Amino acid sequence: HVQLVESGGGSVQAGGSLKLSCTYSGYTSFIDCMGWFRQVPGKEREGVASIDRDGSTAYSDSVKGRFTISKDGAKNTLYLQMSSLKPEDAAMYYCAADRLLCSGGYCSCPKLRAEYRYWGQGTQVTVS
């Protein structure tokens, strides 16, 4: 199993920056894929950014150019640097992890799809 704990959320003014962290523990060698998601009440969980074991990243169009995902394997920590924050970025932010998903001999990461098996408890971001 893998345990994920997010931190770094808080309240920030529009245009400001915030850096989220997600520490992971347990069977960490199992992790091939990690991502950041966000959710507001009444809406589906939205993929924000993802990073694969090989370092390839993906971003939703709504955050591209403003958010940066990174990972420090030595510290078992995933980050999301958020800049130029907008009121519509306010949400509960979750990190997620999984191994490669394989089907029909083809393996890939979920990237921005909410198909990860392991999730953190979330950290709230408020933008005013």
Side-chain angles (χ1 to χ4, degrees):
H1 289 292
V2 174
Q3 294 80 43
L4 305 168
V5 179
E6 302 95 336
S7 61
S11 184
V12 64
Q13 290 189 336
S17 299
L18 208 57
K19 187 173 186 177
L20 306 184
S21 300
C22 171
T23 57
Y24 48 95
S25 60
Y27 192 26
T28 59
S29 60
F30 162 102
I31 298 174
D32 297 311
C33 322
M34 299 196 76
W36 284 101
F37 290 75
R38 65 187 182 188
Q39 190 171 24
V40 297
K43 290 192 174 182
E44 289 189 357
R45 194 165 292 189
E46 173 193 13
V48 173
S50 69
I51 185 166
D52 300 349
R53 182 183 288 276
D54 63 4
S56 59
T57 58
Y59 296 92
S60 67
D61 288 343
S62 60
V63 307
K64 201 171 294 182
R66 300 188 298 120
F67 290 11
T68 302
I69 189 171
S70 61
K71 187 171 65 171
D72 186 335
K75 296 182 178 180
N76 283 358
T77 302
L78 179 73
Y79 301 101
L80 184 68
Q81 176 67 54
M82 306 185 293
S83 303
S84 302
L85 282 161
K86 305 175 181 179
E88 52 262 43
D89 294 319
M92 184 71 80
Y93 281 73
Y94 301 88
C95 69
D98 209 336
R99 64 187 309 172
L100 288 170
L101 304 181
C102 299
S103 176
Y106 178 73
C107 299
S108 64
C109 282
K111 294 191 183 294
L112 302 182
R113 303 188 306 275
E115 298 173 356
Y116 294 76
R117 277 180 287 180
Y118 299 100
W119 294 84
Q121 83 291 346
T123 186
Q124 184 69 45
V125 172
T126 303
V127 183
S128 59

